[in-house]
Amino acid sequence: GSDGNSTDNYLLVNETPHDGDTTYVEGSTINERDLYGLSACGLSNVAIQRVWAESRSRDTVAAGGLIALGLKTNGTEYFGSDLSLLTTFMEKKGTAHTVNPQTGSAWTTTELDALQVGVKTRS
């Protein structure tokens, strides 16, 4: 990360709106990944329609880098297809999961509260 270590990387990616190159995480090894726990949603008696990972990402060397966005639920990781990057920041969205891919059933708020989302370098 931009702070020079691999500790508490979630603190480097939680700005809304994103802060450009002020704080960030980066990877240069293929399949290097970072997962982030989410804050409790505070919801009850709701139907969760879909869940996905989202990022603001860019290629720091030359246009053509790839990432994959994904999630971890019930101990299993699910990363989507490779997404192309440019040298300018782009909003990227991962696969929209209308059901929990691990159970095949509708998402529960308990699963949402335990969910981790993240990014993986692909090239």
Side-chain angles (χ1 to χ4, degrees), residues 24 42 49 64 82 112:
Y24 57 87
Q49 299 296 315
D82 291 352
L112 189 60

Side-chain angles (χ1 to χ4, degrees), residues 24-78:
Y24 57 87
V25 296
E26 64 182 335
S28 57
T29 304
I30 294 176
N31 291 327
E32 187 174 23
R33 65 156 176 62
D34 221 359
L35 293 168
Y36 310 99
L38 304 177
S39 299
C41 66
L43 301 172
S44 61
N45 300 316
V46 297
I48 300 166
Q49 299 296 315
R50 69 189 56 82
V51 173
W52 68 89
E54 184 175 303
S55 78
R56 305 301 178 277
S57 303
R58 74 178 184 96
D59 191 333
T60 59
V61 181
L66 301 171
I67 60 169
L69 299 175
L71 53 86
K72 182 177 181 179
T73 180
N74 297 318
T76 303
E77 294 179 13
Y78 299 89

Side-chain angles (χ1 to χ4, degrees), residues 93-111:
K93 291 184 180 179
T95 303
H97 297 276
T98 56
V99 297
N100 183 318
Q102 199 271 332
T103 66
S105 299
W107 288 98
T108 67
T109 54
T110 301
E111 291 169 331

Side-chain angles (χ1 to χ4, degrees), residues 105-123:
S105 299
W107 288 98
T108 67
T109 54
T110 301
E111 291 169 331
L112 189 60
D113 287 345
L115 190 68
Q116 293 179 304
V117 296
V119 61
K120 180 189 318 189
T121 56
R122 296 297 296 142
S123 72

